Amino acid sequence: MASTHSHPGEQAAQDPIRLLAIRDTPLTVDEVFRAVGDDAAGGTALFVGTVRDHDGGADVDTLGYHSHPTAEAELRRVAEKVVADYPVRALAAVHRVGDLEVGDLAVVVAVSCPHRGEAFEACRKLIDDLKHEVPIWKHQRFSDGTEEWVGA
């Protein structure tokens, strides 16, 4: 949770939400990491979600992400809540849509805060809330011919 600090560098930056996007192009860790750079941050936590070759004991052949037109607005709402609840210096989140292959980056989020514990907590809250609240759905096709939709 956000706390009161006497050093100006430990107070939230003016505009801590630096990058939010839902894209149909490949994601990069470097872009997200650079977006959350802040001289007053003592801790940066980054999460990278990748497409794996299995789910629930079944082999995944193909996977696609689809989003609702309101997804970016919901992503902003989630980010604003994290910024309100933690002493975030900078925050970034990007999610991929379209057809992806095993090993592709599906989502990259990062948060920088004055201290590492806050950064870890804020980053976990950001990815958990993104996955539960932003209307992005995963369509998986399995090697046995079955398929399923998963998502917010």
Side-chain angles (χ1 to χ4, degrees):
M1 284 290 189
S3 58
T4 305
H5 301 284
S6 58
H7 189 277
E10 292 189 4
Q11 296 172 16
Q14 288 294 349
D15 187 12
I17 299 174
R18 307 273 176 86
L19 171 65
L20 294 177
I22 297 173
R23 299 184 179 151
D24 62 359
T25 57
L27 308 180
T28 69
V29 171
D30 289 343
E31 177 191 25
V32 174
F33 184 69
R34 281 192 310 272
V36 297
D38 190 289
D39 289 344
T44 299
L46 184 126
F47 173 82
V48 179
T50 56
V51 177
R52 63 182 177 263
D53 65 358
H54 67 282
D55 191 28
D59 292 333
V60 174
D61 280 348
T62 63
L63 183 146
Y65 283 98
H66 305 269
S67 66
H68 189 271
T70 62
E72 281 197 15
E74 286 301 304
L75 179 55
R76 175 157 295 278
R77 186 188 59 73
V78 164
E80 288 172 348
K81 178 81 167 95
V82 170
V83 167
D85 290 347
Y86 297 89
V88 172
R89 296 295 306 176
L91 176 150
V94 290
H95 201 296
R96 180 95 184 263
V97 292
D99 295 329
L100 283 76
E101 297 181 18
V102 170
D104 284 347
L105 304 185
V107 61
V108 182
V109 303
V111 177
S112 62
C113 292
H115 304 284
R116 72 180 176 274
E118 299 159 339
F120 280 125
E121 290 173 20
C123 189
R124 181 174 190 124
K125 179 73 170 160
L126 176 60
I127 189 60
D128 286 351
D129 287 358
L130 184 160
K131 296 306 282 182
H132 290 111
E133 298 178 26
V134 178
I136 297 173
W137 304 279
K138 176 171 58 174
H139 185 215
Q140 300 182 114
R141 289 189 180 90
F142 301 101
S143 60
D144 66 3
T146 61
E147 58 185 63
E148 74 175 346
W149 286 92
V150 182

